[in-house]
Amino acid sequence: DPTQFDYVIFQEQSQLGGLYGVTVSNGASYEAGVEAVINIDAMVAPAQSIFFMTWGRREQDPLNPFLYFDFLTMNARLEVGY
C-alpha cells in the first residue's frame, strides 16, 4: 500500500546538469525526473515526494576531467545546471 509512507525520495543521478554550455541535452534527464515525480506523486499521496539533485564525485571524473576536476567544482556546476 503506497499510502503508508510519509516520504518518497527520488534522486536525479546523471552528470548532465553540469554539462551546460557543452551539450544541448543537459536538461533532458532532469526534466524526465521531474515528470516521473509528478506522475508518481499522486500514487503515493498523502506522502510527500522529495527530489534530490545528484552530487559531485569525491575524486576527479575520469570521463570529464576538464569540467569536473574535483568535488566542489562538480557540485557547483551541477547546482547551476539545475
Side-chain angles (χ1 to χ4, degrees):
D1 179 14
T3 61
Q4 67 185 346
F5 300 106
D6 295 322
Y7 300 95
V8 178
I9 307 297
F10 300 88
Q11 180 182 352
E12 210 283 331
Q13 58 81 37
S14 76
Q15 297 181 20
L16 294 176
L19 295 176
Y20 59 88
V22 177
T23 178
V24 295
S25 64
N26 64 330
S29 180
Y30 173 78
E31 291 169 7
V34 169
E35 185 175 328
V37 171
I38 290 170
N39 290 333
I40 294 170
D41 194 53
M43 296 187 316
V44 298
Q48 180 180 357
S49 295
I50 299 171
F51 189 32
F52 288 113
M53 70 177 229
T54 194
W55 54 81
R57 293 176 182 250
R58 183 174 40 172
E59 304 295 330
Q60 181 185 59
D61 177 10
L63 299 177
N64 297 295
F66 60 96
L67 287 175
Y68 303 137
F69 44 89
D70 62 20
F71 172 81
L72 293 176
T73 302
M74 184 172 185
N75 233 40
R77 286 191 62 89
L78 289 166
E79 187 174 344
V80 169
Y82 287 126

Coordinates of all heavy atoms in Angstrom, one line a residue:
D1 N 0.8 -1.2 0.0 CA 0.0 0.0 0.0 C 0.9 1.3 0.0 O 1.5 1.5 1.0 CB -0.9 0.0 1.2 CG -1.8 1.2 1.3 OD1 -2.0 1.9 0.3 OD2 -2.4 1.4 2.4
P2 N 0.9 2.0 -1.1 CA 1.8 3.2 -1.2 C 1.4 4.3 -0.2 O 2.2 5.2 0.0 CB 1.8 3.6 -2.6 CG 0.5 3.0 -3.2 CD 0.2 1.8 -2.3
T3 N 0.2 4.3 0.3 CA -0.2 5.4 1.2 C 0.4 5.2 2.6 O 0.1 6.1 3.4 CB -1.7 5.5 1.2 OG1 -2.2 4.3 1.8 CG2 -2.3 5.8 -0.1
Q4 N 1.2 4.2 2.8 CA 1.7 4.0 4.2 C 3.0 4.8 4.4 O 3.5 4.8 5.5 CB 2.0 2.5 4.4 CG 3.1 2.0 3.5 CD 3.2 0.5 3.7 OE1 2.7 -0.1 4.6 NE2 3.9 -0.2 2.8
F5 N 3.5 5.5 3.4 CA 4.8 6.2 3.5 C 4.6 7.7 3.9 O 3.6 8.3 3.4 CB 5.6 6.1 2.3 CG 5.9 4.7 1.9 CD1 5.3 4.0 0.9 CD2 6.9 4.0 2.6 CE1 5.6 2.7 0.5 CE2 7.2 2.7 2.3 CZ 6.5 2.0 1.3
D6 N 5.5 8.3 4.6 CA 5.5 9.7 4.9 C 6.2 10.5 3.8 O 5.8 11.6 3.4 CB 6.1 10.0 6.2 CG 5.3 9.4 7.4 OD1 4.1 9.4 7.3 OD2 6.0 9.0 8.3
Y7 N 7.3 9.9 3.3 CA 8.1 10.5 2.2 C 8.5 9.5 1.2 O 8.7 8.3 1.5 CB 9.4 11.1 2.8 CG 9.2 12.1 3.9 CD1 9.2 11.7 5.2 CD2 8.9 13.4 3.5 CE1 8.9 12.7 6.2 CE2 8.7 14.4 4.5 CZ 8.7 14.0 5.8 OH 8.5 14.9 6.8
V8 N 8.6 9.9 -0.1 CA 9.1 9.1 -1.1 C 10.3 9.9 -1.7 O 10.1 11.1 -2.2 CB 8.1 8.8 -2.2 CG1 8.7 8.0 -3.3 CG2 6.9 8.0 -1.6
I9 N 11.5 9.3 -1.7 CA 12.7 10.1 -2.2 C 13.1 9.7 -3.6 O 13.1 8.5 -3.9 CB 13.8 9.7 -1.2 CG1 13.5 10.0 0.3 CG2 15.1 10.5 -1.6 CD1 13.1 11.4 0.6
F10 N 13.3 10.7 -4.4 CA 13.8 10.5 -5.8 C 15.2 11.2 -5.9 O 15.4 12.2 -5.2 CB 12.9 11.1 -6.8 CG 11.5 10.5 -6.7 CD1 10.5 11.0 -5.9 CD2 11.2 9.4 -7.6 CE1 9.3 10.4 -5.9 CE2 9.9 8.9 -7.5 CZ 8.9 9.4 -6.7
Q11 N 16.0 10.7 -6.7 CA 17.3 11.4 -6.9 C 17.7 11.3 -8.4 O 17.8 10.3 -9.0 CB 18.4 10.8 -6.1 CG 19.7 11.5 -6.3 CD 20.9 10.8 -5.5 OE1 20.6 9.9 -4.7 NE2 22.1 11.3 -5.8
E12 N 17.9 12.5 -8.9 CA 18.5 12.6 -10.3 C 19.9 12.1 -10.2 O 20.6 12.5 -9.3 CB 18.4 14.1 -10.8 CG 18.2 14.3 -12.2 CD 19.5 14.0 -13.0 OE1 20.6 14.2 -12.5 OE2 19.4 13.6 -14.2
Q13 N 20.4 11.3 -11.1 CA 21.7 10.7 -11.0 C 22.7 11.0 -12.1 O 23.8 10.5 -12.0 CB 21.5 9.1 -10.8 CG 20.8 8.5 -12.0 CD 21.7 8.2 -13.2 OE1 22.9 7.8 -13.0 NE2 21.2 8.3 -14.3
S14 N 22.3 11.7 -13.0 CA 23.2 11.9 -14.1 C 24.1 13.1 -13.9 O 23.9 14.0 -13.1 CB 22.5 12.1 -15.4 OG 21.9 13.4 -15.5
Q15 N 25.2 13.2 -14.7 CA 26.1 14.4 -14.7 C 25.6 15.5 -15.7 O 26.2 16.5 -15.8 CB 27.4 14.0 -15.2 CG 28.1 13.0 -14.3 CD 29.5 12.6 -14.9 OE1 30.1 13.4 -15.6 NE2 30.0 11.5 -14.4
L16 N 24.5 15.3 -16.3 CA 24.0 16.2 -17.4 C 23.8 17.6 -16.9 O 24.0 18.6 -17.6 CB 22.8 15.6 -18.1 CG 23.0 14.4 -18.9 CD1 21.6 13.9 -19.4 CD2 24.0 14.6 -20.0
G17 N 23.3 17.7 -15.6 CA 23.1 19.1 -15.1 C 24.3 20.0 -15.1 O 24.2 21.2 -15.3
G18 N 25.5 19.4 -15.0 CA 26.7 20.2 -15.0 C 27.3 20.4 -16.4 O 28.3 21.0 -16.5
L19 N 26.7 19.8 -17.4 CA 27.2 20.0 -18.8 C 26.7 21.2 -19.5 O 26.8 21.2 -20.7 CB 27.0 18.7 -19.6 CG 27.6 17.4 -19.0 CD1 27.2 16.2 -19.8 CD2 29.2 17.6 -19.0
Y20 N 26.1 22.1 -18.8 CA 25.6 23.3 -19.5 C 26.7 24.0 -20.3 O 27.9 24.0 -19.8 CB 24.9 24.3 -18.5 CG 25.8 24.8 -17.4 CD1 26.6 25.9 -17.6 CD2 25.9 24.1 -16.2 CE1 27.4 26.4 -16.6 CE2 26.7 24.6 -15.2 CZ 27.5 25.7 -15.4 OH 28.3 26.1 -14.4
G21 N 26.4 24.5 -21.4 CA 27.4 25.2 -22.2 C 28.2 24.2 -23.0 O 29.0 24.6 -23.9
V22 N 28.1 22.9 -22.8 CA 28.8 21.9 -23.5 C 27.9 21.0 -24.4 O 28.2 20.7 -25.5 CB 29.6 20.9 -22.5 CG1 30.3 19.8 -23.3 CG2 30.5 21.7 -21.7
T23 N 26.7 20.8 -23.9 CA 25.7 20.0 -24.7 C 24.4 20.6 -24.6 O 24.0 21.2 -23.6 CB 25.7 18.5 -24.2 OG1 24.7 17.8 -24.9 CG2 25.4 18.4 -22.7
V24 N 23.5 20.4 -25.6 CA 22.2 20.9 -25.6 C 21.2 20.0 -24.8 O 20.1 20.5 -24.5 CB 21.7 21.2 -27.0 CG1 22.5 22.3 -27.7 CG2 21.6 19.9 -27.8
S25 N 21.6 18.8 -24.5 CA 20.6 17.9 -23.9 C 20.8 17.8 -22.4 O 20.3 16.9 -21.7 CB 20.9 16.5 -24.5 OG 22.1 16.0 -24.1
N26 N 21.4 18.8 -21.8 CA 21.7 18.7 -20.4 C 20.5 18.7 -19.5 O 20.5 18.3 -18.4 CB 22.7 19.9 -19.9 CG 22.1 21.2 -20.1 OD1 21.3 21.5 -21.0 ND2 22.5 22.2 -19.3
G27 N 19.3 19.2 -20.0 CA 18.1 19.2 -19.1 C 17.2 18.0 -19.3 O 16.3 17.8 -18.6
A28 N 17.5 17.1 -20.3 CA 16.6 16.0 -20.6 C 16.5 15.1 -19.4 O 15.3 14.7 -19.1 CB 17.2 15.3 -21.8
S29 N 17.5 14.7 -18.7 CA 17.4 13.8 -17.6 C 16.7 14.4 -16.4 O 15.8 13.8 -15.8 CB 18.8 13.4 -17.1 OG 18.8 12.5 -16.0
Y30 N 17.0 15.7 -16.1 CA 16.3 16.4 -15.1 C 14.8 16.5 -15.4 O 13.9 16.2 -14.5 CB 16.9 17.8 -14.9 CG 16.1 18.6 -13.9 CD1 16.2 18.4 -12.5 CD2 15.2 19.6 -14.3 CE1 15.5 19.2 -11.6 CE2 14.5 20.4 -13.4 CZ 14.7 20.2 -12.1 OH 13.9 20.9 -11.2
E31 N 14.4 16.9 -16.6 CA 13.0 17.0 -17.0 C 12.3 15.7 -16.9 O 11.2 15.6 -16.4 CB 12.9 17.6 -18.4 CG 13.3 19.1 -18.4 CD 13.5 19.6 -19.8 OE1 13.2 18.9 -20.8 OE2 14.0 20.7 -19.9
A32 N 12.9 14.6 -17.3 CA 12.3 13.3 -17.2 C 12.1 12.9 -15.7 O 11.1 12.3 -15.3 CB 13.2 12.3 -17.9
G33 N 13.1 13.3 -14.9 CA 13.0 13.0 -13.4 C 11.8 13.8 -12.8 O 11.0 13.2 -12.0
V34 N 11.7 15.0 -13.1 CA 10.6 15.8 -12.6 C 9.2 15.3 -13.1 O 8.3 15.1 -12.3 CB 10.7 17.3 -13.1 CG1 9.4 18.1 -12.8 CG2 11.9 18.0 -12.4
E35 N 9.1 14.9 -14.3 CA 7.9 14.3 -14.9 C 7.6 13.0 -14.1 O 6.4 12.7 -13.8 CB 8.1 14.0 -16.3 CG 6.8 13.5 -17.0 CD 6.9 13.4 -18.5 OE1 7.6 14.1 -19.1 OE2 6.2 12.4 -19.0
A36 N 8.6 12.2 -13.8 CA 8.3 10.9 -13.1 C 7.8 11.2 -11.7 O 6.9 10.6 -11.2 CB 9.6 10.1 -13.0
V37 N 8.4 12.2 -11.0 CA 8.0 12.5 -9.7 C 6.5 13.0 -9.7 O 5.7 12.6 -8.9 CB 8.9 13.6 -9.0 CG1 8.3 14.1 -7.7 CG2 10.3 13.0 -8.8
I38 N 6.2 13.8 -10.7 CA 4.8 14.3 -10.8 C 3.9 13.2 -11.0 O 2.8 13.1 -10.3 CB 4.7 15.4 -11.9 CG1 5.5 16.7 -11.5 CG2 3.3 15.7 -12.2 CD1 5.6 17.7 -12.6
N39 N 4.2 12.3 -11.9 CA 3.3 11.1 -12.2 C 3.2 10.2 -11.0 O 2.1 9.7 -10.7 CB 3.9 10.3 -13.4 CG 3.7 11.1 -14.6 OD1 2.8 11.9 -14.8 ND2 4.6 10.8 -15.6
I40 N 4.3 10.0 -10.2 CA 4.2 9.1 -9.1 C 3.6 9.7 -7.9 O 3.0 9.1 -7.0 CB 5.6 8.5 -8.8 CG1 6.1 7.7 -10.0 CG2 5.7 7.8 -7.5 CD1 7.5 7.2 -9.9
D41 N 3.8 11.0 -7.8 CA 3.3 11.8 -6.6 C 1.8 11.5 -6.2 O 1.5 11.3 -5.1 CB 3.5 13.3 -6.8 CG 3.4 14.1 -5.6 OD1 4.1 13.7 -4.6 OD2 2.6 15.0 -5.5
A42 N 1.0 11.5 -7.2 CA -0.4 11.2 -7.0 C -0.6 9.8 -6.4 O -1.5 9.5 -5.6 CB -1.3 11.4 -8.2
M43 N 0.2 8.8 -6.9 CA 0.0 7.4 -6.4 C 0.5 7.2 -5.0 O 0.0 6.3 -4.3 CB 0.8 6.5 -7.3 CG 0.3 6.5 -8.8 SD 1.1 5.3 -9.9 CE 2.8 5.4 -9.5
V44 N 1.3 8.1 -4.5 CA 1.9 7.9 -3.1 C 1.2 8.8 -2.1 O 1.6 8.9 -0.9 CB 3.4 8.0 -3.1 CG1 4.0 6.9 -3.9 CG2 3.9 9.4 -3.5
A45 N 0.3 9.6 -2.5 CA -0.4 10.6 -1.6 C -1.0 9.8 -0.4 O -1.4 8.6 -0.6 CB -1.5 11.3 -2.3
P46 N -0.9 10.3 0.7 CA -0.5 11.6 1.1 C 1.0 11.8 1.4 O 1.4 12.8 2.0 CB -1.3 11.8 2.4 CG -1.3 10.5 3.1 CD -1.4 9.5 1.9
A47 N 1.8 10.9 1.0 CA 3.3 11.0 1.2 C 3.8 12.2 0.5 O 3.3 12.6 -0.6 CB 4.0 9.8 0.8
Q48 N 4.8 12.8 1.0 CA 5.5 14.0 0.4 C 6.6 13.5 -0.5 O 7.5 12.7 -0.1 CB 6.0 14.9 1.4 CG 6.7 16.1 0.8 CD 7.2 17.1 1.8 OE1 7.0 16.9 3.0 NE2 7.9 18.1 1.4
S49 N 6.6 13.8 -1.8 CA 7.7 13.5 -2.7 C 8.8 14.5 -2.6 O 8.6 15.7 -2.5 CB 7.2 13.4 -4.1 OG 6.3 12.4 -4.3
I50 N 10.1 14.0 -2.5 CA 11.3 14.8 -2.4 C 12.2 14.4 -3.5 O 12.5 13.2 -3.7 CB 11.9 14.6 -1.1 CG1 11.0 15.0 0.1 CG2 13.2 15.4 -1.0 CD1 11.5 14.7 1.4
F51 N 12.7 15.4 -4.3 CA 13.5 15.1 -5.5 C 14.9 15.8 -5.3 O 15.0 17.0 -5.2 CB 12.8 15.7 -6.7 CG 13.5 15.3 -8.0 CD1 14.1 14.1 -8.2 CD2 13.4 16.2 -9.1 CE1 14.7 13.8 -9.4 CE2 14.0 15.9 -10.3 CZ 14.7 14.7 -10.5
F52 N 15.9 14.9 -5.0 CA 17.2 15.4 -4.8 C 18.0 15.5 -6.1 O 17.8 14.7 -7.0 CB 18.0 14.5 -3.9 CG 17.6 14.5 -2.5 CD1 17.0 13.4 -1.9 CD2 17.8 15.6 -1.7 CE1 16.6 13.4 -0.6 CE2 17.4 15.7 -0.3 CZ 16.8 14.5 0.2
M53 N 18.9 16.5 -6.2 CA 19.8 16.5 -7.3 C 20.9 15.5 -7.0 O 21.1 15.1 -5.9 CB 20.4 17.9 -7.6 CG 21.3 18.4 -6.5 SD 22.0 20.0 -6.9 CE 23.8 19.7 -6.6
T54 N 21.7 15.2 -8.0 CA 22.8 14.3 -7.8 C 23.9 15.2 -7.2 O 23.8 16.4 -7.0 CB 23.3 13.7 -9.1 OG1 24.2 12.6 -8.8 CG2 23.9 14.7 -10.0
W55 N 25.0 14.6 -6.7 CA 26.1 15.3 -6.1 C 27.4 15.0 -6.8 O 27.5 14.0 -7.5 CB 26.2 15.1 -4.6 CG 26.3 13.7 -4.2 CD1 27.4 12.9 -4.3 CD2 25.2 12.8 -3.8 NE1 27.1 11.6 -3.9 CE2 25.8 11.5 -3.6 CE3 23.9 13.0 -3.6 CZ2 25.0 10.5 -3.1 CZ3 23.1 11.9 -3.1 CH2 23.7 10.7 -2.9
G56 N 28.4 15.8 -6.6 CA 29.7 15.6 -7.3 C 30.4 14.4 -6.8 O 30.2 13.9 -5.7
R57 N 31.2 13.9 -7.7 CA 32.1 12.8 -7.4 C 33.2 13.2 -6.4 O 33.7 14.4 -6.5 CB 32.8 12.2 -8.6 CG 31.9 11.6 -9.6 CD 32.7 11.2 -10.8 NE 31.8 10.6 -11.8 CZ 31.8 9.3 -12.1 NH1 32.7 8.5 -11.5 NH2 31.0 8.8 -13.0
R58 N 33.6 12.4 -5.5 CA 34.6 12.7 -4.5 C 35.9 13.0 -5.2 O 36.6 13.9 -4.7 CB 34.7 11.6 -3.5 CG 35.7 11.9 -2.4 CD 35.7 10.8 -1.4 NE 35.6 9.5 -1.9 CZ 35.8 8.3 -1.2 NH1 36.0 8.4 0.0 NH2 35.6 7.2 -1.8
E59 N 36.2 12.3 -6.2 CA 37.5 12.4 -6.9 C 37.2 13.0 -8.3 O 36.0 13.1 -8.7 CB 38.2 11.1 -7.0 CG 38.5 10.4 -5.7 CD 39.5 11.2 -4.8 OE1 40.3 11.9 -5.3 OE2 39.4 11.1 -3.6
Q60 N 38.2 13.3 -9.0 CA 38.0 13.8 -10.4 C 37.2 12.8 -11.2 O 37.4 11.6 -11.1 CB 39.4 14.0 -11.0 CG 39.4 14.6 -12.4 CD 40.8 14.6 -13.0 OE1 41.5 13.6 -13.1 NE2 41.2 15.8 -13.4
D61 N 36.4 13.3 -12.1 CA 35.6 12.5 -13.0 C 36.5 12.1 -14.2 O 37.0 13.0 -14.9 CB 34.4 13.2 -13.5 CG 33.6 12.4 -14.5 OD1 33.9 11.2 -14.7 OD2 32.7 13.0 -15.1
P62 N 36.9 10.8 -14.4 CA 37.8 10.5 -15.4 C 37.2 10.7 -16.8 O 38.0 10.8 -17.8 CB 38.0 9.0 -15.2 CG 36.9 8.5 -14.4 CD 36.4 9.7 -13.6
L63 N 35.9 10.8 -17.0 CA 35.3 11.0 -18.3 C 35.3 12.5 -18.7 O 35.2 12.8 -19.9 CB 33.9 10.4 -18.4 CG 33.9 8.9 -18.2 CD1 32.4 8.4 -18.2 CD2 34.7 8.1 -19.2
N64 N 35.2 13.4 -17.7 CA 35.1 14.8 -17.9 C 36.0 15.6 -17.0 O 35.6 16.5 -16.3 CB 33.6 15.2 -17.7 CG 32.7 14.6 -18.6 OD1 32.7 14.8 -19.8 ND2 31.8 13.8 -18.1
P65 N 37.3 15.3 -17.1 CA 38.3 15.9 -16.1 C 38.4 17.5 -16.4 O 38.7 18.2 -15.4 CB 39.6 15.2 -16.4 CG 39.5 14.7 -17.8 CD 38.0 14.3 -17.9
F66 N 38.1 17.9 -17.6 CA 38.2 19.3 -17.9 C 37.1 20.1 -17.3 O 37.2 21.3 -17.1 CB 38.3 19.6 -19.4 CG 37.0 19.1 -20.1 CD1 36.0 19.9 -20.4 CD2 36.9 17.7 -20.5 CE1 34.9 19.4 -21.1 CE2 35.8 17.2 -21.1 CZ 34.8 18.1 -21.4
L67 N 36.0 19.5 -16.9 CA 34.8 20.1 -16.3 C 34.8 19.8 -14.8 O 34.5 20.7 -14.0 CB 33.5 19.6 -16.9 CG 33.2 20.1 -18.3 CD1 31.9 19.4 -18.8 CD2 33.0 21.6 -18.3
Y68 N 35.0 18.6 -14.5 CA 34.8 18.1 -13.1 C 36.1 17.6 -12.5 O 36.4 16.4 -12.4 CB 33.8 16.9 -13.1 CG 32.4 17.2 -13.7 CD1 31.8 16.3 -14.5 CD2 31.7 18.3 -13.4 CE1 30.6 16.5 -15.1 CE2 30.5 18.6 -13.9 CZ 29.9 17.6 -14.8 OH 28.7 17.9 -15.3
F69 N 37.0 18.5 -12.2 CA 38.3 18.2 -11.7 C 38.4 18.0 -10.2 O 39.3 17.5 -9.7 CB 39.4 19.1 -12.2 CG 39.0 20.6 -12.0 CD1 39.3 21.3 -10.9 CD2 38.4 21.2 -13.1 CE1 39.0 22.6 -10.8 CE2 38.1 22.6 -13.0 CZ 38.4 23.3 -11.8
D70 N 37.3 18.3 -9.5 CA 37.2 18.0 -8.1 C 35.7 18.0 -7.6 O 34.8 18.5 -8.4 CB 38.1 18.9 -7.2 CG 37.7 20.3 -7.3 OD1 36.6 20.7 -7.6 OD2 38.6 21.2 -6.9
F71 N 35.5 17.6 -6.4 CA 34.1 17.6 -5.9 C 33.4 18.9 -5.9 O 32.3 19.0 -6.3 CB 34.1 17.0 -4.4 CG 32.8 17.1 -3.7 CD1 31.8 16.1 -4.0 CD2 32.5 18.1 -2.9 CE1 30.5 16.2 -3.4 CE2 31.3 18.2 -2.3 CZ 30.3 17.3 -2.5
L72 N 34.1 19.9 -5.4 CA 33.5 21.3 -5.2 C 33.1 21.8 -6.6 O 32.0 22.4 -6.8 CB 34.4 22.2 -4.5 CG 34.6 21.9 -3.0 CD1 35.6 22.8 -2.4 CD2 33.3 21.9 -2.2
T73 N 34.0 21.7 -7.6 CA 33.7 22.2 -8.9 C 32.5 21.4 -9.5 O 31.6 22.0 -10.1 CB 34.9 22.0 -9.8 OG1 36.0 22.7 -9.2 CG2 34.7 22.5 -11.2
M74 N 32.5 20.1 -9.4 CA 31.4 19.3 -10.0 C 30.1 19.7 -9.3 O 29.1 19.9 -10.0 CB 31.6 17.8 -9.9 CG 30.6 17.0 -10.6 SD 31.0 15.3 -10.6 CE 29.7 14.6 -11.6
N75 N 30.1 19.8 -8.0 CA 28.9 20.1 -7.3 C 28.3 21.5 -7.7 O 27.1 21.7 -7.9 CB 29.1 20.1 -5.8 CG 28.1 19.2 -5.1 OD1 27.7 18.1 -5.6 ND2 27.7 19.6 -3.9
A76 N 29.2 22.5 -7.8 CA 28.8 23.8 -8.2 C 28.2 23.8 -9.6 O 27.2 24.5 -9.8 CB 30.0 24.8 -8.1
R77 N 28.9 23.1 -10.5 CA 28.3 23.1 -11.9 C 27.0 22.4 -11.9 O 26.0 22.8 -12.6 CB 29.3 22.4 -12.8 CG 30.5 23.2 -13.2 CD 31.3 22.6 -14.3 NE 30.5 22.5 -15.5 CZ 30.5 23.4 -16.5 NH1 31.1 24.6 -16.3 NH2 29.8 23.3 -17.6
L78 N 26.8 21.3 -11.2 CA 25.5 20.6 -11.1 C 24.4 21.5 -10.6 O 23.3 21.6 -11.1 CB 25.6 19.4 -10.3 CG 26.4 18.2 -10.9 CD1 26.7 17.2 -9.9 CD2 25.7 17.6 -12.1
E79 N 24.7 22.3 -9.5 CA 23.8 23.2 -8.9 C 23.3 24.2 -9.9 O 22.1 24.5 -10.0 CB 24.4 23.8 -7.6 CG 23.3 24.6 -6.8 CD 23.9 25.1 -5.5 OE1 24.9 24.6 -5.1 OE2 23.3 26.0 -5.0
V80 N 24.3 24.8 -10.6 CA 23.9 25.9 -11.6 C 23.1 25.3 -12.7 O 22.1 25.9 -13.1 CB 25.2 26.5 -12.1 CG1 24.9 27.4 -13.3 CG2 25.9 27.4 -11.0
G81 N 23.5 24.1 -13.1 CA 22.8 23.4 -14.2 C 21.3 23.1 -13.9 O 20.5 23.0 -14.8
Y82 N 21.0 22.8 -12.7 CA 19.7 22.5 -12.3 C 18.8 23.8 -12.2 O 17.7 23.8 -12.3 CB 19.6 21.7 -11.0 CG 20.1 20.3 -11.1 CD1 21.1 19.8 -10.3 CD2 19.5 19.4 -12.0 CE1 21.5 18.5 -10.4 CE2 20.0 18.1 -12.1 CZ 21.0 17.7 -11.3 OH 21.4 16.4 -11.4

